[in-house]
Amino acid sequence: MHLRVINPNTTASMTLLAGRAAAAAAPPGAVVDAVHPTMGPASIESHYEEALAVPGVLEQVAIGEREGVDGYVLACFGDPGLDAARELARGPVLGIAEAAMHAATMVGRRFSVVTTLGRTVGRARELVDRYGFAGACAGVHAVEIPVLALEDPRSGAREAVTERCRRAVVEDGADVVVLGCAGMAELCAHVSAEVGVPVVDGVAAATALVAALVGIGLRPGAGGEYAPPPPKPVAGLLAGFTVAPRVPAVSR
Amino acid sequence: MHLRVINPNTTASMTLLAGRAAAAAAPPGAVVDAVHPTMGPASIESHYEEALAVPGVLEQVAIGEREGVDGYVLACFGDPGLDAARELARGPVLGIAEAAMHAATMVGRRFSVVTTLGRTVGRARELVDRYGFAGACAGVHAVEIPVLALEDPRSGAREAVTERCRRAVVEDGADVVVLGCAGMAELCAHVSAEVGVPVVDGVAAATALVAALVGIGLRPGAGGEYAPPPPKPVAGLLAGFTVAPRVPAVSR
Amino acid sequence: MHLRVINPNTTASMTLLAGRAAAAAAPPGAVVDAVHPTMGPASIESHYEEALAVPGVLEQVAIGEREGVDGYVLACFGDPGLDAARELARGPVLGIAEAAMHAATMVGRRFSVVTTLGRTVGRARELVDRYGFAGACAGVHAVEIPVLALEDPRSGAREAVTERCRRAVVEDGADVVVLGCAGMAELCAHVSAEVGVPVVDGVAAATALVAALVGIGLRPGAGGEYAPPPPKPVAGLLAGFTVAPRVPAVSR
Amino acid sequence: MHLRVINPNTTASMTLLAGRAAAAAAPPGAVVDAVHPTMGPASIESHYEEALAVPGVLEQVAIGEREGVDGYVLACFGDPGLDAARELARGPVLGIAEAAMHAATMVGRRFSVVTTLGRTVGRARELVDRYGFAGACAGVHAVEIPVLALEDPRSGAREAVTERCRRAVVEDGADVVVLGCAGMAELCAHVSAEVGVPVVDGVAAATALVAALVGIGLRPGAGGEYAPPPPKPVAGLLAGFTVAPRVPAVSR
Amino acid sequence: MHLRVINPNTTASMTLLAGRAAAAAAPPGAVVDAVHPTMGPASIESHYEEALAVPGVLEQVAIGEREGVDGYVLACFGDPGLDAARELARGPVLGIAEAAMHAATMVGRRFSVVTTLGRTVGRARELVDRYGFAGACAGVHAVEIPVLALEDPRSGAREAVTERCRRAVVEDGADVVVLGCAGMAELCAHVSAEVGVPVVDGVAAATALVAALVGIGLRPGAGGEYAPPPPKPVAGLLAGFTVAPRVPAVSR
Amino acid sequence: MHLRVINPNTTASMTLLAGRAAAAAAPPGAVVDAVHPTMGPASIESHYEEALAVPGVLEQVAIGEREGVDGYVLACFGDPGLDAARELARGPVLGIAEAAMHAATMVGRRFSVVTTLGRTVGRARELVDRYGFAGACAGVHAVEIPVLALEDPRSGAREAVTERCRRAVVEDGADVVVLGCAGMAELCAHVSAEVGVPVVDGVAAATALVAALVGIGLRPGAGGEYAPPPPKPVAGLLAGFTVAPRVPAVSR
């Protein structure tokens, strides 16, 4: 089983971090690698950046399909390009927000999300609604630390995230906490030990769950909403994304 | 008041069509023009195409901001790039799905959507949920005619759309019908006359509603979720989308 | 285009206030006037008063129909008589609660409502649910100042409303605020400047949105739920409201 | 225990019918009477008629309060004036739609409503949502027989209602049926015997449930949303509804 | 009319308490008795205990059926075995959580629940959702006093429950409070007098409501989901629960 | 990793079937076994039977804990005893309905459930709601074949299930189908091949997902709702289930 983590931004250190978290979560025998796009923003903290990250995600899925990848993890908590990636991939694709919320509701009654910047809370709530977990979500909170500062020990991220998770348990009544950024993956064990409830890192959750789906042969249907996109010209700067006639049909 | 319709695909005839529909819907004194991106797919019938249309939409909003546009309409029923466009624009931005659903619920109890291909129904339902209209949506139906065939009289689109709307009224109990594609704009009067309930064209609805918002000075807040995206490098093919330090702050 | 604001209570100064707010919000070329009923309570702060305001609202719609009015605004945040008014009117009718909530969700993710008395909060929540905005409503709050005291500078309304809106932004995480009373219309600009998020006055929103609907020819269907009421005797004190055979059919 | 059924329309035969159904449903020792207003429409089949029925309902509650009535049933499936009546009454007030839906969900998983005219379906759905039963409501259907024709054997009401209930069980998967009009009360036993699932008549349900509430001393709180309406002048035709200072406070 | 309260735990003092509360709530002429199972836990404060209480509840329903009981109350706020009991009983069966929530929404807009231990809050929320009252529930709170300590004056239960109810009214905006344990029945009058809003004891509510259903002949349908369980062997320790062929059909 | 499938009924052939399906779904290196209780019904087709199956499920979890099992699958589509089992187990526990719905929403937009008897549809819908998938569930359908007949080739189960799944795809617009009984596990590949959309067997899904949770160390929190049940006597027939003081604390 060959699983691939796609870090949707172009910062290599985050790709390495996500790759480590995924490798630790994969089942025996799975090969896991991690990549990032050749194009797009250095981190994703706005709708604008998320939108610009998507073409690069799709480029990487197309590459993965040529290399026979069996399942994908999109390692950004906004789940950028998830539906489009499902149209390109033969195997299952999971976003880390999606996976973390599914996992959280399998082990607790109500989860809170602790994320980076307040401006991303709206997107997190939108995903909570989309995946059906509005009734299970007790709160979404931001620590106001930018994504790329999470790895910097001077940012105080470890303490801030731990403290915000602790408050969520007490004030929201959450019995699970979801970490709302791939860059928090390596805080998961620490926070879990500190706050006394299960804490979910989306990269680990998505890797383990996509491996589960691959293992039982579940993937989106080849017809219907997630069928390969129809052959059609794409103009201008993005012409390289043109879907040529017949190729998707053949490769699928 | 300067309003701009952005056709998210790159097909000029659809831009003209959307521009005509918007001009007819705008209030006295409003200047309305219609544009399409320099990049992206010829039409949008999959998640993949929608994702690839978004950078071009954002390019056009950035141009519009330099030209002093007061409000925008995104003329594709998937509302591609809506949240990101709100971060770039000083004035309000409405998608045609969003606007059509708001308008429909102001004149009726329950609406049905009639759209092009079945594979887009999932996205339409997702938007119904996001905008809060799950309780008001009686059905979403496809006529299985591609977007670019709608304008071709030989496609039978007029008859097929009319007939599907009629069935929606009878079988769903809908008292309003929403046309689920910008390319159906010029069918609106015909269908409405035939089916005996109000029929909403999203291009007209979005133009009229965005003009209303501009008229009373309502726009997303300059702080919070829709604040301008932070300055940050964008790599590779999309490097031209880099947000340089200070510029958004100054222009806002 | 002839728009009419109906102040559902019988206090002339509120009618003037609503008329001014509506006139400022209407598009170029629209004629806007404001009226109030000959019967009913001096202000609306209970279900009882709202119920007693409705016959007067319907009287005014009937008068408006004889005078060729194109669209109506019901300028009380309980939207009294909205559905019944739609049966009488040929054109669209919007309540200010309905319109304010629609407008708020077009420019933000989550809105809070700030209203007059705590006893009206239940009705406001009921309308939030009816219009589909339960997921978008972050809170409903009262300042405990009666409707007719809002205009009195000694009531402290300006300060109290501003302060409550500010708290709603911070505590609820709202990125839009809705003013929950027509009598707050002239506080809107002040509050908006103070709290730093868009603030929606329902009178302005309803006027602009109903003008938009009139402009594109959208109105409730002449059949179905909003068809003219059937001819039928009305007894006793309200006998003047009897619908005589044939008249509605002719006038429609 | 003194219970009063208020038929919100002015047709005496329906008052008698509702009174009979209520008397049969009341517990031992309860005194049940039935009244109708001195003003208002002959039957209620539109929002307009419902609005005009409300003042008469409130007149009857005010009379009932002077006579020491302990609990009220509003015998029209639109539950007209329910919240306002709760402000006037010392004891509990139930509408028949409300009561029927509560009772239905106490004995089955999913109910369908069978009502008179299609134009009233929207109101029925609105009440389903308000009372929290959207997830339990499998359908709302009309037989297109006017309210006042239900009692006429030549209308075919008995057969049409029975047949529509039978279809609801099969097609909706309902395991309870709610009759959506007080005028159907005497069809209840027949339909129930024919369709093989419990059938709920709202008049019986409301009478039994309001007696239950009276029996255990439950009524809306005297403060808060359902406090007596504040003293305030009511103008014009409805001046008789003016709440004079102090009287409600004293009587409560 | 013969009503029976089943205390699902095996503590006799709670059975007596529930029996007293039920007797006081029953209509004139009803015979009310109270029983508890021969098997099961001494109190119910976990899912494990609730699960183990269910066979005893079913044993008591089977006994009740042989004795001609007309309706049942399950006097534990987790409503243990409710659906299974409905399959065994000819008459209606109500849980006290179910009944309390129904009653609360008949007299107020939003209720809060005050219960015993925090670990039972998840179950209470689950029931809120199941019965359709998610929109009406303003909060669920625990006083962290075990069930069997409620009767002990030294536990401080009276003061703690009263205080928590008072806070729920202020902080949640609740206009009704539901007591979340049968063991709180005798606190109801005291708390209600102190907090100034209606307070619902589930035992009283369930008794009154089930009497109402019996009075009008409403019970789950004899076919469908609540039909008698099919004849089938039950093995091992629970062999005594085997349903023998034909008996249920005959007795029903 | 040691995973255990608990077949909640006492029919050994179903235990073997579930064990085979689970073994095929487990990741490399996992040890999977399957057991059934010493007590309880031969199959589960009613609420009564489900209730009586739960003590046996808990007996098996207690045995599993003594044997060091890492994760459990409850192989009945009603997910009997799920919450109670979580209190006893140190590792994660998944029901097959829960797991199948999670998996279905990871690969499609909307799923339909095809189950055995119509009387179980209510329970399936209740679980759909509990897990948050009401918006994603397009339908629940029964083939009216009893559980124990599924394995009998003469029952026509293969054809009936396949045909019902095919109809669900067409009529409901489902893009995934969930098989609603553990006894259908071996039909999964056949049906999937026939209907052209992914088909989910809950036993496989639960095994793969619980393995994923074990692999990343996720389990319900040891405090809160799923803490071990408190020490407390259990009376009568079930006295063997008594939780003795200190033992759970020690073993956890």
Side-chain angles (χ1 to χ4, degrees):
Chain A
M1 185 189 305
H2 183 179
L3 306 179
R4 178 160 289 172
V5 179
I6 300 175
N7 167 23
N9 72 37
T10 53
T11 298
S13 61
M14 284 198 63
T15 310
L16 289 170
L17 167 64
R20 284 195 303 271
V31 173
V32 182
D33 53 27
V35 299
H36 59 258
T38 64
M39 65 184 83
S43 66
I44 300 178
E45 297 168 325
S46 65
H47 296 292
Y48 178 79
E49 290 158 357
E50 185 177 319
L52 294 175
V54 172
V57 169
L58 300 179
E59 164 200 60
Q60 291 302 315
V61 176
I63 291 171
E65 288 302 288
R66 291 197 293 273
E67 297 177 1
V69 169
D70 294 302
Y72 300 85
V73 169
L74 305 186
C76 168
F77 204 78
D79 292 356
L82 179 59
D83 283 317
R86 283 181 176 150
E87 293 175 335
L88 293 187
R90 276 170 305 234
V93 185
L94 290 183
I96 65 169
E98 175 186 38
M101 295 179 200
H102 278 284
T105 56
M106 291 181 207
V107 297
R109 180 74 66 173
R110 298 179 96 206
F111 65 85
S112 289
V113 178
V114 172
T115 187
T116 54
L117 301 187
R119 67 180 299 160
T120 69
V121 167
R123 176 63 177 164
R125 283 189 200 281
E126 184 180 353
L127 293 177
V128 167
D129 288 346
R130 167 167 171 179
Y131 300 132
F133 299 125
C137 179
V140 182
H141 309 285
V143 291
E144 301 300 351
I145 294 175
V147 171
L148 297 182
L150 289 171
E151 296 179 84
D152 180 349
R154 295 165 301 179
S155 70
R158 172 179 293 251
E159 296 72 22
V161 170
T162 304
E163 179 54 23
R164 197 63 196 79
C165 291
R166 189 181 282 121
R167 278 182 57 200
V169 171
V170 174
E171 297 175 8
D172 297 350
D175 59 357
V176 197
V177 177
V178 166
L179 298 180
C181 180
M184 294 177 181
E186 293 190 339
L187 302 179
C188 185
H190 174 76
V191 179
S192 189
E194 291 290 319
V195 305
V197 302
V199 178
V200 184
D201 160 41
V203 180
T207 304
L209 293 180
V210 85
L213 297 178
V214 170
I216 59 175
L218 270 182
R219 60 196 70 180
E225 182 176 348
Y226 298 114
K232 195 179 293 177
V234 179
L237 193 64
L238 297 169
F241 286 87
T242 294
V243 175
R246 315 211 35 199
V247 172
V250 164
S251 73
R252 195 144 178 135
Chain B
M1 185 189 303
H2 183 178
L3 307 178
R4 178 161 289 172
V5 179
I6 300 174
N7 167 23
N9 71 38
T10 53
T11 298
S13 61
M14 283 198 64
T15 310
L16 290 171
L17 167 64
R20 284 195 304 270
V31 173
V32 182
D33 52 27
V35 299
H36 59 259
T38 64
M39 66 185 81
S43 66
I44 301 177
E45 297 168 325
S46 65
H47 296 292
Y48 179 79
E49 290 157 356
E50 186 177 318
L52 294 175
V54 172
V57 168
L58 299 179
E59 163 200 62
Q60 292 302 314
V61 176
I63 291 171
E65 288 303 288
R66 291 197 294 273
E67 297 177 1
V69 168
D70 294 301
Y72 299 86
V73 169
L74 305 186
C76 168
F77 204 78
D79 293 355
L82 179 60
D83 283 317
R86 283 182 175 149
E87 293 176 334
L88 293 187
R90 278 170 304 236
V93 185
L94 290 183
I96 64 169
E98 175 185 39
M101 294 179 201
H102 278 284
T105 56
M106 292 181 206
V107 297
R109 181 74 66 174
R110 300 178 96 208
F111 65 85
S112 289
V113 177
V114 172
T115 187
T116 54
L117 300 187
R119 68 181 296 160
T120 70
V121 166
R123 175 64 178 165
R125 283 189 201 279
E126 184 181 353
L127 294 177
V128 166
D129 288 347
R130 167 168 170 179
Y131 300 132
F133 299 125
C137 179
V140 182
H141 309 285
V143 292
E144 301 300 351
I145 295 175
V147 172
L148 297 182
L150 289 171
E151 296 180 85
D152 180 348
R154 293 165 302 179
S155 70
R158 172 178 293 249
E159 295 72 23
V161 170
T162 304
E163 179 53 24
R164 198 63 197 78
C165 292
R166 188 180 283 120
R167 278 183 57 200
V169 171
V170 174
E171 297 175 7
D172 296 349
D175 61 356
V176 199
V177 177
V178 166
L179 299 179
C181 180
M184 295 177 181
E186 294 190 339
L187 301 180
C188 185
H190 174 75
V191 178
S192 188
E194 290 290 319
V195 304
V197 303
V199 178
V200 184
D201 160 41
V203 180
T207 304
L209 294 180
V210 85
L213 297 178
V214 171
I216 59 174
L218 270 182
R219 62 196 68 182
E225 182 176 348
Y226 299 113
K232 195 178 294 177
V234 179
L237 192 66
L238 297 169
F241 287 88
T242 293
V243 174
R246 315 208 37 197
V247 173
V250 164
S251 72
R252 193 139 177 141
Chain C
M1 185 190 302
H2 183 179
L3 306 178
R4 178 160 289 171
V5 178
I6 300 175
N7 166 22
N9 72 37
T10 53
T11 297
S13 61
M14 283 198 65
T15 310
L16 289 171
L17 168 64
R20 283 196 303 271
V31 173
V32 182
D33 52 27
V35 299
H36 60 258
T38 65
M39 65 185 81
S43 66
I44 301 177
E45 298 168 323
S46 65
H47 296 292
Y48 179 79
E49 290 158 357
E50 185 177 320
L52 294 175
V54 171
V57 167
L58 299 179
E59 165 201 61
Q60 291 302 314
V61 175
I63 291 171
E65 288 303 287
R66 291 197 293 272
E67 297 177 3
V69 168
D70 295 301
Y72 300 85
V73 169
L74 306 186
C76 168
F77 204 78
D79 293 355
L82 179 60
D83 283 317
R86 284 182 174 148
E87 293 176 334
L88 292 186
R90 277 169 304 234
V93 185
L94 291 183
I96 65 168
E98 175 186 38
M101 295 179 201
H102 279 284
T105 55
M106 292 181 206
V107 297
R109 180 75 65 176
R110 298 178 99 208
F111 65 85
S112 289
V113 177
V114 172
T115 187
T116 55
L117 301 186
R119 67 181 297 160
T120 69
V121 166
R123 175 64 178 164
R125 283 190 201 279
E126 184 182 352
L127 293 177
V128 166
D129 288 347
R130 166 168 171 179
Y131 300 132
F133 300 126
C137 180
V140 182
H141 309 285
V143 292
E144 301 300 351
I145 295 175
V147 172
L148 296 181
L150 289 171
E151 296 180 84
D152 181 347
R154 294 165 302 180
S155 69
R158 171 179 293 250
E159 295 72 23
V161 170
T162 304
E163 179 54 23
R164 198 64 197 77
C165 291
R166 190 180 282 120
R167 278 183 57 201
V169 172
V170 174
E171 297 175 7
D172 296 350
D175 61 356
V176 198
V177 177
V178 166
L179 298 179
C181 180
M184 295 178 181
E186 294 190 340
L187 302 179
C188 185
H190 174 75
V191 179
S192 187
E194 291 290 318
V195 303
V197 303
V199 178
V200 184
D201 160 40
V203 180
T207 305
L209 293 180
V210 84
L213 297 178
V214 170
I216 59 174
L218 270 181
R219 64 196 66 182
E225 182 176 347
Y226 298 114
K232 195 179 293 177
V234 179
L237 192 65
L238 297 169
F241 286 87
T242 294
V243 175
R246 314 208 37 196
V247 172
V250 165
S251 73
R252 193 147 178 134
Chain D
M1 185 190 303
H2 183 178
L3 306 178
R4 179 160 289 172
V5 179
I6 301 175
N7 167 22
N9 73 37
T10 53
T11 298
S13 61
M14 283 197 64
T15 310
L16 289 171
L17 167 64
R20 283 195 303 271
V31 173
V32 182
D33 53 26
V35 299
H36 60 258
T38 65
M39 64 185 83
S43 66
I44 301 177
E45 298 168 323
S46 64
H47 296 291
Y48 179 80
E49 290 158 356
E50 185 177 320
L52 294 174
V54 172
V57 167
L58 300 178
E59 164 200 62
Q60 290 303 314
V61 175
I63 290 170
E65 288 303 288
R66 290 197 293 273
E67 297 177 1
V69 169
D70 294 301
Y72 299 86
V73 169
L74 305 186
C76 168
F77 204 78
D79 292 356
L82 178 60
D83 283 316
R86 283 182 175 149
E87 293 176 333
L88 292 187
R90 276 170 305 235
V93 185
L94 290 183
I96 64 168
E98 176 185 38
M101 294 179 201
H102 278 284
T105 56
M106 291 180 207
V107 296
R109 180 74 67 174
R110 299 178 97 208
F111 65 85
S112 290
V113 178
V114 172
T115 187
T116 54
L117 301 187
R119 68 180 298 159
T120 69
V121 167
R123 175 65 178 164
R125 284 189 200 280
E126 184 181 353
L127 294 177
V128 167
D129 288 347
R130 167 168 171 179
Y131 300 130
F133 300 125
C137 179
V140 182
H141 309 284
V143 292
E144 301 299 352
I145 295 175
V147 171
L148 298 182
L150 289 170
E151 297 179 84
D152 180 349
R154 293 165 302 179
S155 69
R158 172 179 292 249
E159 295 73 22
V161 170
T162 304
E163 178 55 22
R164 197 64 196 77
C165 291
R166 190 180 282 120
R167 276 183 57 200
V169 172
V170 174
E171 297 176 6
D172 297 349
D175 59 357
V176 197
V177 177
V178 167
L179 298 179
C181 180
M184 295 178 181
E186 294 191 338
L187 302 179
C188 185
H190 174 76
V191 179
S192 189
E194 291 289 319
V195 303
V197 303
V199 178
V200 185
D201 160 41
V203 180
T207 304
L209 294 180
V210 85
L213 298 177
V214 170
I216 58 174
L218 271 182
R219 60 195 71 180
E225 182 176 347
Y226 299 113
K232 196 179 292 178
V234 179
L237 192 64
L238 298 169
F241 287 88
T242 294
V243 174
R246 313 208 38 196
V247 172
V250 164
S251 73
R252 195 143 177 136
Chain E
M1 185 188 305
H2 183 178
L3 307 178
R4 179 160 290 172
V5 179
I6 301 174
N7 167 22
N9 72 37
T10 52
T11 298
S13 61
M14 282 197 65
T15 309
L16 289 171
L17 168 64
R20 283 195 304 270
V31 172
V32 182
D33 51 28
V35 299
H36 60 258
T38 65
M39 65 185 82
S43 66
I44 300 178
E45 298 168 323
S46 65
H47 296 292
Y48 178 79
E49 290 157 356
E50 185 177 319
L52 294 175
V54 172
V57 168
L58 300 179
E59 164 202 61
Q60 291 302 315
V61 176
I63 291 170
E65 288 302 289
R66 291 197 292 273
E67 298 177 1
V69 169
D70 294 300
Y72 299 86
V73 169
L74 306 187
C76 168
F77 204 77
D79 292 356
L82 179 59
D83 283 317
R86 284 183 175 148
E87 293 175 334
L88 291 188
R90 278 169 305 234
V93 184
L94 290 183
I96 66 169
E98 174 186 40
M101 295 179 199
H102 278 284
T105 56
M106 292 181 206
V107 296
R109 180 76 66 175
R110 299 178 98 206
F111 65 85
S112 289
V113 178
V114 172
T115 187
T116 53
L117 300 187
R119 68 180 297 159
T120 69
V121 167
R123 175 64 178 164
R125 284 189 201 281
E126 184 180 353
L127 293 177
V128 167
D129 289 346
R130 166 168 172 178
Y131 300 132
F133 299 125
C137 180
V140 182
H141 309 285
V143 292
E144 301 300 352
I145 296 175
V147 171
L148 297 182
L150 289 171
E151 295 180 84
D152 181 347
R154 295 165 300 180
S155 70
R158 172 179 292 250
E159 296 72 23
V161 170
T162 304
E163 179 55 23
R164 198 63 196 79
C165 291
R166 189 181 282 120
R167 277 182 59 200
V169 171
V170 174
E171 297 175 7
D172 297 349
D175 60 357
V176 198
V177 177
V178 167
L179 299 179
C181 180
M184 295 178 181
E186 293 190 340
L187 302 179
C188 185
H190 174 75
V191 179
S192 188
E194 291 290 318
V195 304
V197 303
V199 178
V200 184
D201 160 41
V203 180
T207 305
L209 293 180
V210 85
L213 297 178
V214 171
I216 59 175
L218 270 181
R219 62 196 68 180
E225 181 175 349
Y226 299 113
K232 195 180 292 178
V234 179
L237 192 64
L238 298 169
F241 287 88
T242 293
V243 174
R246 315 211 34 199
V247 173
V250 164
S251 73
R252 193 142 180 136
Chain F
M1 184 189 305
H2 183 179
L3 306 179
R4 178 160 290 172
V5 179
I6 300 174
N7 168 22
N9 72 38
T10 52
T11 299
S13 61
M14 283 198 65
T15 310
L16 289 172
L17 167 64
R20 283 195 304 270
V31 172
V32 182
D33 52 27
V35 299
H36 59 259
T38 64
M39 64 185 82
S43 66
I44 301 178
E45 298 168 323
S46 65
H47 296 291
Y48 179 79
E49 291 157 355
E50 185 177 320
L52 294 175
V54 171
V57 168
L58 299 179
E59 164 202 61
Q60 291 302 314
V61 176
I63 291 171
E65 288 302 287
R66 292 197 293 271
E67 298 177 0
V69 168
D70 294 301
Y72 300 84
V73 169
L74 306 186
C76 168
F77 204 78
D79 292 356
L82 179 59
D83 282 317
R86 283 182 175 148
E87 293 175 334
L88 292 188
R90 276 170 305 235
V93 185
L94 290 183
I96 64 169
E98 176 185 38
M101 295 180 200
H102 278 283
T105 57
M106 292 181 206
V107 297
R109 181 74 67 174
R110 300 178 97 207
F111 65 84
S112 289
V113 178
V114 172
T115 186
T116 54
L117 300 187
R119 68 180 298 159
T120 69
V121 167
R123 176 62 178 165
R125 284 189 199 281
E126 184 180 353
L127 293 177
V128 166
D129 288 346
R130 166 165 174 183
Y131 300 131
F133 300 125
C137 179
V140 182
H141 308 285
V143 292
E144 301 300 351
I145 295 174
V147 171
L148 297 182
L150 288 171
E151 297 180 84
D152 180 348
R154 294 165 302 179
S155 70
R158 172 179 292 251
E159 296 71 23
V161 170
T162 304
E163 178 54 23
R164 198 62 197 80
C165 291
R166 190 180 282 121
R167 277 183 58 200
V169 172
V170 174
E171 297 175 6
D172 296 350
D175 60 356
V176 198
V177 176
V178 166
L179 299 179
C181 180
M184 295 177 181
E186 294 191 338
L187 302 179
C188 185
H190 174 76
V191 178
S192 188
E194 290 290 318
V195 303
V197 303
V199 178
V200 185
D201 160 41
V203 180
T207 304
L209 294 180
V210 86
L213 297 178
V214 170
I216 59 174
L218 271 181
R219 63 196 69 181
E225 183 176 348
Y226 299 113
K232 195 179 292 177
V234 179
L237 192 64
L238 298 169
F241 287 88
T242 293
V243 175
R246 314 206 39 195
V247 172
V250 165
S251 72
R252 195 142 178 137

